[in-house]
């Protein structure tokens, strides 16, 4: 169970780092302003809640709840990565 927690947590951490990269790169270019700062803050808060909340739940002894929380982000993230991997391997023609 310890392996699955850290495996899922690392997937979620990679997703959070990618989101932070996009946020800071867009903010440096001036594309994050008053119009879209609230959705960005909500996304970053949700990512922090998943990554940090799972650590807090695990330390409180709620291992199963922590893994379920991690699965909420890890499953869509893994499916997204699998989709792009298939696009790279299969080279589909969309014409």
């Amino acid at each position: 169970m310890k392996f699955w927690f850290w495996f899922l947590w690392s997937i979620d951490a990679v997703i959070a780092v990618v989101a932070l990269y996009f946020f800071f790169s867009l903010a440096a270019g001036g594309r994050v302003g008053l119009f879209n700062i609230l959705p960005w803050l909500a996304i970053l808060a949700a990512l922090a809640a998943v990554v940090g909340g799972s650590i807090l739940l695990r330390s409180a002894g709620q291992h199963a709840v922590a893994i379920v929380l991690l699965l909420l982000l890890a499953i869509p993230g893994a499916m997204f990565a699998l989709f792009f991997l298939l696009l790279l391997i299969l080279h589909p023609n969309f014409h």
Side-chain angles (χ1 to χ4, degrees):
M1 189 126 145
K2 185 176 180 179
F3 167 77
W4 286 111
F5 175 82
W6 289 113
F7 177 72
L8 294 171
W9 190 86
S10 64
I11 291 172
D12 291 353
V14 168
I15 293 169
V17 166
V18 168
L20 282 172
Y21 169 77
F22 278 108
F23 174 73
F24 285 119
S25 67
L26 290 173
R31 297 202 184 254
V32 175
L34 291 177
F35 177 71
N36 60 356
I37 191 68
L38 288 179
W40 269 109
L41 291 178
I43 290 169
L44 295 177
L47 291 172
V50 169
V51 174
S54 63
I55 295 287
L56 291 174
L57 285 169
R58 184 177 179 271
S59 67
Q62 299 291 330
H63 299 285
V65 178
I67 289 178
V68 168
L69 180 64
L70 289 172
L71 283 172
L72 292 175
L73 184 61
I75 289 174
M79 298 302 263
F80 186 76
L82 180 64
F83 172 71
F84 272 100
L85 182 66
L86 286 174
L87 284 178
L88 289 172
I89 292 171
L90 298 177
H91 301 289
N93 186 2
F94 290 111
H95 287 99

